[in-house]
Amino acid sequence: MLKIWTDGSCLGNPGPGGWAFVATDGTNIAHRNGGEKNTTNNRMELMAVIRAISAAHRHSEIEIHTDSQYVKNGMQTWIKNWRKNNWRTSDKKPVKNQDLWQKLDELANTIKIHWVWVRGHNGEEFNERCDELARAAAEEFK
């Protein structure tokens, strides 16, 4: 199974931001990163996962490792009610980053995803590499 680590970074929030993912099939390792001039950390966390799933389109099953509780909880818990409530939160406010959540939801329905939360900045090799790549991308937009 393809294993993917994702991360987002923002220099200021909002500010210049970057996203990154590292993917491995156990033999090969690939990575991608990118960024935006004016964004938020949560948008970059979502963008990292969107780009990772898009790149993994040939696979039927993947494992996403994220240090973002926002992304993991959003996909495993909150999104069901958001869909049901016309993309409104429990207090009837529009879901923040709805455009990215809807894109992620669409992509997630094309592939089986196992969600794994990892503690950030805890020495986990690929999570640390994603952090470095996301920060580097954000720096390019300063």
Side-chain angles (χ1 to χ4, degrees):
M1 177 180 351
L2 186 67
K3 295 183 179 185
I4 304 170
W5 284 257
T6 65
D7 202 10
S9 179
C10 203
L11 308 175
N13 204 15
W19 58 266
F21 70 84
V22 175
T24 183
D25 60 6
T27 303
N28 303 301
I29 299 172
H31 63 83
R32 301 283 181 277
N33 66 340
E36 296 178 17
K37 187 164 184 63
N38 188 29
T39 190
T40 65
N41 187 65
N42 284 341
R43 288 187 70 79
M44 292 295 92
E45 292 282 2
L46 289 164
M47 187 59 73
V49 178
I50 288 168
R51 295 298 183 107
I53 295 171
S54 295
H57 66 275
R58 290 188 187 104
H59 297 265
S60 60
E61 188 172 3
I62 61 175
E63 192 172 270
I64 299 275
H65 297 250
T66 179
D67 61 10
S68 171
Q69 290 282 1
Y70 177 67
V71 171
K72 184 178 178 292
N73 289 338
M75 289 305 293
Q76 291 190 307
T77 305
W78 307 330
I79 203 162
K80 294 173 193 101
N81 285 330
W82 292 341
R83 267 192 243 110
K84 188 172 67 177
N85 296 328
N86 198 26
W87 295 94
R88 299 265 173 194
T89 63
S90 58
D91 59 358
K92 309 294 183 219
K93 294 181 181 171
V95 170
K96 288 182 182 175
N97 304 311
Q98 179 180 334
D99 59 329
L100 296 181
W101 281 115
Q102 287 176 324
K103 179 66 176 170
L104 181 52
D105 188 35
E106 178 185 317
L107 288 169
N109 286 320
T110 66
I111 193 168
K112 182 172 175 130
I113 301 173
H114 300 275
W115 295 95
V116 179
W117 181 76
V118 295
R119 185 171 305 281
H121 311 288
N122 204 33
E124 206 285 337
E125 178 186 5
F126 291 134
N127 180 257
E128 296 291 344
R129 183 70 182 127
C130 277
D131 183 65
E132 292 167 7
L133 289 165
R135 284 181 196 228
E139 286 287 341
E140 291 180 22
F141 287 90
K142 273 175 86 173

mmCIF file of all heavy atoms in Angstrom, residues 36-78:
data_model
loop_
_atom_site.group_PDB
_atom_site.id
_atom_site.type_symbol
_atom_site.label_atom_id
_atom_site.label_comp_id
_atom_site.label_asym_id
_atom_site.label_seq_id
_atom_site.Cartn_x
_atom_site.Cartn_y
_atom_site.Cartn_z
ATOM 1 N N GLU A 36 1.516 29.239 -1.752
ATOM 2 C CA GLU A 36 0.721 30.396 -2.149
ATOM 3 C C GLU A 36 1.220 31.613 -1.378
ATOM 4 O O GLU A 36 1.757 31.489 -0.284
ATOM 5 C CB GLU A 36 -0.761 30.165 -1.823
ATOM 6 C CG GLU A 36 -1.381 29.025 -2.587
ATOM 7 C CD GLU A 36 -2.836 28.792 -2.213
ATOM 8 O OE1 GLU A 36 -3.468 29.687 -1.619
ATOM 9 O OE2 GLU A 36 -3.342 27.703 -2.515
ATOM 10 N N LYS A 37 1.004 32.766 -1.957
ATOM 11 C CA LYS A 37 1.490 34.015 -1.371
ATOM 12 C C LYS A 37 0.716 34.427 -0.126
ATOM 13 O O LYS A 37 1.288 34.893 0.849
ATOM 14 C CB LYS A 37 1.435 35.137 -2.411
ATOM 15 C CG LYS A 37 2.086 36.419 -1.941
ATOM 16 C CD LYS A 37 2.360 37.337 -3.103
ATOM 17 C CE LYS A 37 3.101 38.578 -2.708
ATOM 18 N NZ LYS A 37 4.426 38.363 -2.161
ATOM 19 N N ASN A 38 -0.597 34.258 -0.118
ATOM 20 C CA ASN A 38 -1.420 34.707 0.998
ATOM 21 C C ASN A 38 -2.444 33.626 1.329
ATOM 22 O O ASN A 38 -3.442 33.480 0.631
ATOM 23 C CB ASN A 38 -2.117 36.025 0.661
ATOM 24 C CG ASN A 38 -2.819 36.609 1.864
ATOM 25 O OD1 ASN A 38 -2.408 36.401 3.002
ATOM 26 N ND2 ASN A 38 -3.891 37.344 1.618
ATOM 27 N N THR A 39 -2.187 32.884 2.399
ATOM 28 C CA THR A 39 -3.033 31.741 2.730
ATOM 29 C C THR A 39 -2.996 31.504 4.231
ATOM 30 O O THR A 39 -2.478 32.330 4.977
ATOM 31 C CB THR A 39 -2.574 30.501 1.926
ATOM 32 O OG1 THR A 39 -3.533 29.463 2.079
ATOM 33 C CG2 THR A 39 -1.190 30.038 2.327
ATOM 34 N N THR A 40 -3.545 30.371 4.659
ATOM 35 C CA THR A 40 -3.511 30.005 6.072
ATOM 36 C C THR A 40 -2.921 28.605 6.227
ATOM 37 O O THR A 40 -2.867 27.831 5.268
ATOM 38 C CB THR A 40 -4.918 30.000 6.702
ATOM 39 O OG1 THR A 40 -5.696 28.960 6.091
ATOM 40 C CG2 THR A 40 -5.607 31.350 6.546
ATOM 41 N N ASN A 41 -2.525 28.285 7.443
ATOM 42 C CA ASN A 41 -1.980 26.977 7.737
ATOM 43 C C ASN A 41 -3.000 25.873 7.413
ATOM 44 O O ASN A 41 -2.647 24.863 6.799
ATOM 45 C CB ASN A 41 -1.558 26.908 9.205
ATOM 46 C CG ASN A 41 -0.829 25.636 9.503
ATOM 47 O OD1 ASN A 41 0.248 25.402 8.987
ATOM 48 N ND2 ASN A 41 -1.418 24.794 10.329
ATOM 49 N N ASN A 42 -4.249 26.072 7.815
ATOM 50 C CA ASN A 42 -5.251 25.036 7.556
ATOM 51 C C ASN A 42 -5.474 24.810 6.064
ATOM 52 O O ASN A 42 -5.648 23.674 5.624
ATOM 53 C CB ASN A 42 -6.572 25.378 8.244
ATOM 54 C CG ASN A 42 -6.525 25.114 9.730
ATOM 55 O OD1 ASN A 42 -5.677 24.362 10.221
ATOM 56 N ND2 ASN A 42 -7.430 25.728 10.471
ATOM 57 N N ARG A 43 -5.452 25.870 5.279
ATOM 58 C CA ARG A 43 -5.600 25.705 3.826
ATOM 59 C C ARG A 43 -4.433 24.911 3.250
ATOM 60 O O ARG A 43 -4.616 24.073 2.373
ATOM 61 C CB ARG A 43 -5.748 27.055 3.117
ATOM 62 C CG ARG A 43 -7.115 27.690 3.385
ATOM 63 C CD ARG A 43 -7.344 28.938 2.557
ATOM 64 N NE ARG A 43 -7.522 28.635 1.132
ATOM 65 C CZ ARG A 43 -8.650 28.186 0.574
ATOM 66 N NH1 ARG A 43 -9.727 27.970 1.303
ATOM 67 N NH2 ARG A 43 -8.716 27.966 -0.728
ATOM 68 N N MET A 44 -3.237 25.156 3.760
ATOM 69 C CA MET A 44 -2.067 24.428 3.266
ATOM 70 C C MET A 44 -2.086 22.965 3.711
ATOM 71 O O MET A 44 -1.679 22.080 2.956
ATOM 72 C CB MET A 44 -0.775 25.113 3.706
ATOM 73 C CG MET A 44 -0.549 26.464 3.042
ATOM 74 S SD MET A 44 -0.299 26.399 1.227
ATOM 75 C CE MET A 44 -1.971 26.605 0.603
ATOM 76 N N GLU A 45 -2.590 22.690 4.916
ATOM 77 C CA GLU A 45 -2.749 21.289 5.361
ATOM 78 C C GLU A 45 -3.704 20.561 4.419
ATOM 79 O O GLU A 45 -3.435 19.433 3.990
ATOM 80 C CB GLU A 45 -3.277 21.227 6.796
ATOM 81 C CG GLU A 45 -2.324 21.721 7.852
ATOM 82 C CD GLU A 45 -1.216 20.756 8.228
ATOM 83 O OE1 GLU A 45 -1.124 19.651 7.652
ATOM 84 O OE2 GLU A 45 -0.418 21.125 9.116
ATOM 85 N N LEU A 46 -4.819 21.198 4.088
ATOM 86 C CA LEU A 46 -5.784 20.600 3.166
ATOM 87 C C LEU A 46 -5.202 20.434 1.766
ATOM 88 O O LEU A 46 -5.389 19.397 1.125
ATOM 89 C CB LEU A 46 -7.057 21.457 3.105
ATOM 90 C CG LEU A 46 -7.938 21.418 4.345
ATOM 91 C CD1 LEU A 46 -8.939 22.574 4.330
ATOM 92 C CD2 LEU A 46 -8.661 20.083 4.441
ATOM 93 N N MET A 47 -4.486 21.451 1.301
ATOM 94 C CA MET A 47 -3.908 21.386 -0.041
ATOM 95 C C MET A 47 -2.893 20.246 -0.149
ATOM 96 O O MET A 47 -2.826 19.563 -1.182
ATOM 97 C CB MET A 47 -3.251 22.720 -0.405
ATOM 98 C CG MET A 47 -2.777 22.784 -1.834
ATOM 99 S SD MET A 47 -4.086 22.532 -3.058
ATOM 100 C CE MET A 47 -4.933 24.078 -2.919
ATOM 101 N N ALA A 48 -2.130 20.009 0.910
ATOM 102 C CA ALA A 48 -1.153 18.915 0.894
ATOM 103 C C ALA A 48 -1.851 17.575 0.652
ATOM 104 O O ALA A 48 -1.399 16.760 -0.159
ATOM 105 C CB ALA A 48 -0.369 18.890 2.205
ATOM 106 N N VAL A 49 -2.968 17.365 1.332
ATOM 107 C CA VAL A 49 -3.692 16.104 1.181
ATOM 108 C C VAL A 49 -4.352 16.021 -0.195
ATOM 109 O O VAL A 49 -4.322 14.972 -0.848
ATOM 110 C CB VAL A 49 -4.725 15.926 2.315
ATOM 111 C CG1 VAL A 49 -5.508 14.636 2.125
ATOM 112 C CG2 VAL A 49 -4.029 15.923 3.671
ATOM 113 N N ILE A 50 -4.924 17.114 -0.652
ATOM 114 C CA ILE A 50 -5.541 17.134 -1.987
ATOM 115 C C ILE A 50 -4.511 16.785 -3.055
ATOM 116 O O ILE A 50 -4.759 15.942 -3.925
ATOM 117 C CB ILE A 50 -6.180 18.519 -2.262
ATOM 118 C CG1 ILE A 50 -7.432 18.687 -1.409
ATOM 119 C CG2 ILE A 50 -6.490 18.698 -3.750
ATOM 120 C CD1 ILE A 50 -7.976 20.108 -1.368
ATOM 121 N N ARG A 51 -3.350 17.414 -2.987
ATOM 122 C CA ARG A 51 -2.306 17.140 -3.984
ATOM 123 C C ARG A 51 -1.800 15.701 -3.883
ATOM 124 O O ARG A 51 -1.519 15.064 -4.900
ATOM 125 C CB ARG A 51 -1.151 18.122 -3.820
ATOM 126 C CG ARG A 51 -1.520 19.571 -4.117
ATOM 127 C CD ARG A 51 -1.970 19.743 -5.575
ATOM 128 N NE ARG A 51 -2.246 21.101 -5.894
ATOM 129 C CZ ARG A 51 -1.454 21.862 -6.664
ATOM 130 N NH1 ARG A 51 -0.360 21.386 -7.201
ATOM 131 N NH2 ARG A 51 -1.789 23.119 -6.896
ATOM 132 N N ALA A 52 -1.692 15.197 -2.661
ATOM 133 C CA ALA A 52 -1.218 13.824 -2.470
ATOM 134 C C ALA A 52 -2.196 12.811 -3.065
ATOM 135 O O ALA A 52 -1.787 11.895 -3.784
ATOM 136 C CB ALA A 52 -1.012 13.544 -0.980
ATOM 137 N N ILE A 53 -3.476 12.982 -2.769
ATOM 138 C CA ILE A 53 -4.473 12.046 -3.302
ATOM 139 C C ILE A 53 -4.536 12.148 -4.822
ATOM 140 O O ILE A 53 -4.622 11.137 -5.521
ATOM 141 C CB ILE A 53 -5.855 12.292 -2.670
ATOM 142 C CG1 ILE A 53 -5.816 11.991 -1.183
ATOM 143 C CG2 ILE A 53 -6.921 11.430 -3.363
ATOM 144 C CD1 ILE A 53 -7.072 12.403 -0.431
ATOM 145 N N SER A 54 -4.454 13.352 -5.348
ATOM 146 C CA SER A 54 -4.453 13.529 -6.810
ATOM 147 C C SER A 54 -3.280 12.805 -7.452
ATOM 148 O O SER A 54 -3.427 12.188 -8.509
ATOM 149 C CB SER A 54 -4.396 15.019 -7.162
ATOM 150 O OG SER A 54 -5.556 15.676 -6.724
ATOM 151 N N ALA A 55 -2.125 12.854 -6.805
ATOM 152 C CA ALA A 55 -0.933 12.193 -7.354
ATOM 153 C C ALA A 55 -1.018 10.671 -7.232
ATOM 154 O O ALA A 55 -0.353 9.955 -7.981
ATOM 155 C CB ALA A 55 0.315 12.697 -6.629
ATOM 156 N N ALA A 56 -1.841 10.186 -6.298
ATOM 157 C CA ALA A 56 -1.948 8.743 -6.053
ATOM 158 C C ALA A 56 -3.103 8.110 -6.824
ATOM 159 O O ALA A 56 -3.545 7.009 -6.496
ATOM 160 C CB ALA A 56 -2.128 8.502 -4.553
ATOM 161 N N HIS A 57 -3.571 8.772 -7.869
ATOM 162 C CA HIS A 57 -4.778 8.335 -8.576
ATOM 163 C C HIS A 57 -4.703 6.910 -9.139
ATOM 164 O O HIS A 57 -5.729 6.296 -9.391
ATOM 165 C CB HIS A 57 -5.138 9.328 -9.684
ATOM 166 C CG HIS A 57 -4.137 9.392 -10.774
ATOM 167 N ND1 HIS A 57 -3.018 10.197 -10.704
ATOM 168 C CD2 HIS A 57 -4.058 8.743 -11.960
ATOM 169 C CE1 HIS A 57 -2.309 10.041 -11.804
ATOM 170 N NE2 HIS A 57 -2.912 9.175 -12.581
ATOM 171 N N ARG A 58 -3.516 6.365 -9.329
ATOM 172 C CA ARG A 58 -3.402 4.999 -9.864
ATOM 173 C C ARG A 58 -3.603 3.936 -8.795
ATOM 174 O O ARG A 58 -3.693 2.755 -9.104
ATOM 175 C CB ARG A 58 -2.029 4.805 -10.507
ATOM 176 C CG ARG A 58 -1.854 5.584 -11.776
ATOM 177 C CD ARG A 58 -0.559 5.201 -12.479
ATOM 178 N NE ARG A 58 -0.334 6.062 -13.601
ATOM 179 C CZ ARG A 58 0.547 7.052 -13.632
ATOM 180 N NH1 ARG A 58 1.302 7.284 -12.573
ATOM 181 N NH2 ARG A 58 0.693 7.796 -14.695
ATOM 182 N N HIS A 59 -3.650 4.352 -7.544
ATOM 183 C CA HIS A 59 -3.784 3.409 -6.430
ATOM 184 C C HIS A 59 -5.241 3.323 -5.983
ATOM 185 O O HIS A 59 -5.966 4.299 -6.036
ATOM 186 C CB HIS A 59 -2.903 3.853 -5.253
ATOM 187 C CG HIS A 59 -1.453 3.848 -5.592
ATOM 188 N ND1 HIS A 59 -0.630 2.781 -5.314
ATOM 189 C CD2 HIS A 59 -0.675 4.768 -6.199
ATOM 190 C CE1 HIS A 59 0.586 3.046 -5.733
ATOM 191 N NE2 HIS A 59 0.590 4.250 -6.275
ATOM 192 N N SER A 60 -5.635 2.159 -5.514
ATOM 193 C CA SER A 60 -7.005 1.988 -5.023
ATOM 194 C C SER A 60 -7.093 2.167 -3.511
ATOM 195 O O SER A 60 -8.178 2.352 -2.975
ATOM 196 C CB SER A 60 -7.542 0.606 -5.412
ATOM 197 O OG SER A 60 -6.718 -0.398 -4.849
ATOM 198 N N GLU A 61 -5.942 2.140 -2.855
ATOM 199 C CA GLU A 61 -5.915 2.241 -1.402
ATOM 200 C C GLU A 61 -4.611 2.917 -0.976
ATOM 201 O O GLU A 61 -3.543 2.579 -1.483
ATOM 202 C CB GLU A 61 -6.003 0.833 -0.803
ATOM 203 C CG GLU A 61 -6.179 0.772 0.670
ATOM 204 C CD GLU A 61 -6.457 -0.656 1.148
ATOM 205 O OE1 GLU A 61 -6.451 -1.598 0.327
ATOM 206 O OE2 GLU A 61 -6.674 -0.809 2.358
ATOM 207 N N ILE A 62 -4.734 3.882 -0.069
ATOM 208 C CA ILE A 62 -3.553 4.597 0.420
ATOM 209 C C ILE A 62 -3.674 4.819 1.924
ATOM 210 O O ILE A 62 -4.752 4.677 2.501
ATOM 211 C CB ILE A 62 -3.357 5.966 -0.280
ATOM 212 C CG1 ILE A 62 -4.558 6.885 -0.038
ATOM 213 C CG2 ILE A 62 -3.064 5.787 -1.753
ATOM 214 C CD1 ILE A 62 -4.388 8.296 -0.599
ATOM 215 N N GLU A 63 -2.538 5.154 2.513
ATOM 216 C CA GLU A 63 -2.495 5.497 3.926
ATOM 217 C C GLU A 63 -1.958 6.919 4.018
ATOM 218 O O GLU A 63 -0.858 7.194 3.540
ATOM 219 C CB GLU A 63 -1.562 4.518 4.640
ATOM 220 C CG GLU A 63 -1.618 4.541 6.131
ATOM 221 C CD GLU A 63 -0.796 3.408 6.717
ATOM 222 O OE1 GLU A 63 -1.355 2.305 6.919
ATOM 223 O OE2 GLU A 63 0.404 3.636 6.963
ATOM 224 N N ILE A 64 -2.758 7.819 4.602
ATOM 225 C CA ILE A 64 -2.356 9.217 4.754
ATOM 226 C C ILE A 64 -1.931 9.444 6.202
ATOM 227 O O ILE A 64 -2.712 9.211 7.123
ATOM 228 C CB ILE A 64 -3.500 10.193 4.420
ATOM 229 C CG1 ILE A 64 -3.957 10.052 2.985
ATOM 230 C CG2 ILE A 64 -3.109 11.630 4.767
ATOM 231 C CD1 ILE A 64 -3.179 10.831 1.970
ATOM 232 N N HIS A 65 -0.702 9.904 6.382
ATOM 233 C CA HIS A 65 -0.176 10.261 7.698
ATOM 234 C C HIS A 65 -0.169 11.785 7.778
ATOM 235 O O HIS A 65 0.475 12.442 6.957
ATOM 236 C CB HIS A 65 1.256 9.743 7.871
ATOM 237 C CG HIS A 65 1.351 8.257 7.817
ATOM 238 N ND1 HIS A 65 1.651 7.501 8.923
ATOM 239 C CD2 HIS A 65 1.166 7.379 6.804
ATOM 240 C CE1 HIS A 65 1.657 6.226 8.590
ATOM 241 N NE2 HIS A 65 1.370 6.127 7.304
ATOM 242 N N THR A 66 -0.884 12.328 8.756
ATOM 243 C CA THR A 66 -0.953 13.773 8.916
ATOM 244 C C THR A 66 -0.765 14.149 10.378
ATOM 245 O O THR A 66 -1.195 13.403 11.267
ATOM 246 C CB THR A 66 -2.291 14.337 8.392
ATOM 247 O OG1 THR A 66 -2.327 15.743 8.599
ATOM 248 C CG2 THR A 66 -3.492 13.694 9.077
ATOM 249 N N ASP A 67 -0.143 15.299 10.600
ATOM 250 C CA ASP A 67 -0.050 15.802 11.975
ATOM 251 C C ASP A 67 -1.150 16.831 12.237
ATOM 252 O O ASP A 67 -1.155 17.488 13.263
ATOM 253 C CB ASP A 67 1.339 16.372 12.272
ATOM 254 C CG ASP A 67 1.721 17.551 11.397
ATOM 255 O OD1 ASP A 67 0.870 18.084 10.660
ATOM 256 O OD2 ASP A 67 2.897 17.958 11.456
ATOM 257 N N SER A 68 -2.085 16.930 11.313
ATOM 258 C CA SER A 68 -3.179 17.891 11.430
ATOM 259 C C SER A 68 -4.451 17.219 11.955
ATOM 260 O O SER A 68 -5.105 16.456 11.238
ATOM 261 C CB SER A 68 -3.465 18.523 10.067
ATOM 262 O OG SER A 68 -4.644 19.299 10.134
ATOM 263 N N GLN A 69 -4.813 17.531 13.195
ATOM 264 C CA GLN A 69 -6.078 17.049 13.736
ATOM 265 C C GLN A 69 -7.244 17.648 12.936
ATOM 266 O O GLN A 69 -8.275 17.011 12.765
ATOM 267 C CB GLN A 69 -6.213 17.432 15.218
ATOM 268 C CG GLN A 69 -5.281 16.678 16.127
ATOM 269 C CD GLN A 69 -5.750 15.263 16.423
ATOM 270 O OE1 GLN A 69 -6.768 14.798 15.938
ATOM 271 N NE2 GLN A 69 -4.973 14.568 17.226
ATOM 272 N N TYR A 70 -7.048 18.868 12.452
ATOM 273 C CA TYR A 70 -8.059 19.547 11.634
ATOM 274 C C TYR A 70 -8.435 18.690 10.418
ATOM 275 O O TYR A 70 -9.615 18.452 10.150
ATOM 276 C CB TYR A 70 -7.503 20.905 11.207
ATOM 277 C CG TYR A 70 -8.366 21.736 10.300
ATOM 278 C CD1 TYR A 70 -9.570 22.278 10.727
ATOM 279 C CD2 TYR A 70 -7.940 22.036 9.003
ATOM 280 C CE1 TYR A 70 -10.341 23.080 9.896
ATOM 281 C CE2 TYR A 70 -8.701 22.838 8.162
ATOM 282 C CZ TYR A 70 -9.899 23.351 8.614
ATOM 283 O OH TYR A 70 -10.652 24.149 7.779
ATOM 284 N N VAL A 71 -7.433 18.204 9.700
ATOM 285 C CA VAL A 71 -7.695 17.383 8.518
ATOM 286 C C VAL A 71 -8.257 16.026 8.914
ATOM 287 O O VAL A 71 -9.278 15.583 8.367
ATOM 288 C CB VAL A 71 -6.414 17.209 7.670
ATOM 289 C CG1 VAL A 71 -6.622 16.176 6.574
ATOM 290 C CG2 VAL A 71 -5.988 18.535 7.062
ATOM 291 N N LYS A 72 -7.624 15.361 9.849
ATOM 292 C CA LYS A 72 -8.057 14.020 10.239
ATOM 293 C C LYS A 72 -9.479 14.042 10.801
ATOM 294 O O LYS A 72 -10.330 13.259 10.384
ATOM 295 C CB LYS A 72 -7.094 13.413 11.255
ATOM 296 C CG LYS A 72 -7.436 11.974 11.619
ATOM 297 C CD LYS A 72 -6.417 11.406 12.584
ATOM 298 C CE LYS A 72 -6.766 10.000 13.002
ATOM 299 N NZ LYS A 72 -7.972 9.901 13.823
ATOM 300 N N ASN A 73 -9.756 14.924 11.754
ATOM 301 C CA ASN A 73 -11.100 14.998 12.333
ATOM 302 C C ASN A 73 -12.126 15.446 11.299
ATOM 303 O O ASN A 73 -13.251 14.950 11.285
ATOM 304 C CB ASN A 73 -11.129 15.940 13.531
ATOM 305 C CG ASN A 73 -10.401 15.366 14.720
ATOM 306 O OD1 ASN A 73 -10.211 14.164 14.835
ATOM 307 N ND2 ASN A 73 -9.981 16.239 15.620
ATOM 308 N N GLY A 74 -11.723 16.371 10.447
ATOM 309 C CA GLY A 74 -12.625 16.826 9.403
ATOM 310 C C GLY A 74 -13.074 15.683 8.507
ATOM 311 O O GLY A 74 -14.268 15.535 8.223
ATOM 312 N N MET A 75 -12.125 14.855 8.101
ATOM 313 C CA MET A 75 -12.454 13.768 7.182
ATOM 314 C C MET A 75 -13.126 12.588 7.875
ATOM 315 O O MET A 75 -13.945 11.906 7.274
ATOM 316 C CB MET A 75 -11.191 13.294 6.450
ATOM 317 C CG MET A 75 -10.692 14.290 5.432
ATOM 318 S SD MET A 75 -11.944 14.760 4.204
ATOM 319 C CE MET A 75 -12.147 13.230 3.312
ATOM 320 N N GLN A 76 -12.784 12.333 9.118
ATOM 321 C CA GLN A 76 -13.331 11.159 9.793
ATOM 322 C C GLN A 76 -14.606 11.447 10.599
ATOM 323 O O GLN A 76 -15.350 10.522 10.883
ATOM 324 C CB GLN A 76 -12.285 10.539 10.716
ATOM 325 C CG GLN A 76 -11.152 9.911 9.936
ATOM 326 C CD GLN A 76 -10.244 9.097 10.824
ATOM 327 O OE1 GLN A 76 -9.758 9.579 11.831
ATOM 328 N NE2 GLN A 76 -10.012 7.855 10.438
ATOM 329 N N THR A 77 -14.849 12.701 10.947
ATOM 330 C CA THR A 77 -15.977 12.994 11.827
ATOM 331 C C THR A 77 -16.867 14.112 11.288
ATOM 332 O O THR A 77 -18.053 13.914 11.057
ATOM 333 C CB THR A 77 -15.456 13.387 13.231
ATOM 334 O OG1 THR A 77 -14.610 12.347 13.711
ATOM 335 C CG2 THR A 77 -16.607 13.600 14.202
ATOM 336 N N TRP A 78 -16.323 15.287 11.111
ATOM 337 C CA TRP A 78 -17.127 16.476 10.845
ATOM 338 C C TRP A 78 -17.792 16.497 9.480
ATOM 339 O O TRP A 78 -18.894 17.018 9.320
ATOM 340 C CB TRP A 78 -16.280 17.737 11.002
ATOM 341 C CG TRP A 78 -15.551 17.842 12.301
ATOM 342 C CD1 TRP A 78 -15.935 17.339 13.517
ATOM 343 C CD2 TRP A 78 -14.309 18.510 12.522
ATOM 344 N NE1 TRP A 78 -14.998 17.654 14.472
ATOM 345 C CE2 TRP A 78 -13.993 18.371 13.886
ATOM 346 C CE3 TRP A 78 -13.437 19.213 11.701
ATOM 347 C CZ2 TRP A 78 -12.841 18.908 14.452
ATOM 348 C CZ3 TRP A 78 -12.292 19.752 12.245
ATOM 349 C CH2 TRP A 78 -11.998 19.598 13.614
#
